[in-house]
Amino acid sequence: EERRLEYIKLAKAKLEGGRVMVRQIRGDAMRELKKSEEGKTISEDQRKYGERMIQELTDEMVAEIDTIGQKKEAELLQV
């Protein structure tokens, strides 16, 4: 059981790393949208729409990561 708890701890650390990566990608995409708006290649409305879509995708990915984590934790706790 002690070993299982170690694996759960490791899995949680990996999952948090995944969440951080998703948020970093979101930040990069948001900066690109802002640069495009400043460069006059897209309008403010297009930037806001893009930001909303990026945030929705980010939320979906984080939720998927959480779901995978819960399944894996349940799997590891099973005897």
Side-chain angles (χ1 to χ4, degrees):
E1 185 176 337
E2 189 175 306
R3 189 76 172 144
R4 290 174 193 257
L5 294 176
E6 287 177 27
Y7 281 133
I8 289 172
K9 194 174 188 178
L10 179 64
K12 286 183 180 184
K14 296 281 186 183
L15 291 169
E16 185 56 35
R19 286 186 205 98
V20 168
M21 288 176 65
V22 168
R23 288 191 295 263
Q24 286 175 342
I25 292 168
R26 176 191 62 193
D28 292 344
M30 294 287 196
R31 282 188 288 280
E32 285 296 318
L33 281 174
K34 193 168 268 191
K35 282 182 187 177
S36 294
E37 182 189 12
E38 290 170 359
K40 305 289 184 200
T41 55
I42 63 171
S43 68
E44 181 181 358
D45 290 340
Q46 289 172 322
R47 178 186 56 85
K48 287 182 179 181
Y49 176 77
E51 287 176 349
R52 194 173 7 168
M53 292 290 102
I54 291 168
Q55 186 59 49
E56 286 178 17
L57 279 171
T58 301
D59 293 342
E60 286 177 25
M61 292 298 111
V62 169
E64 190 172 323
I65 289 170
D66 291 339
T67 302
I68 291 168
Q70 290 170 353
K71 285 180 184 177
K72 190 50 127 175
E73 186 174 342
E75 183 181 310
L76 287 170
L77 288 174
Q78 228 174 16
V79 178

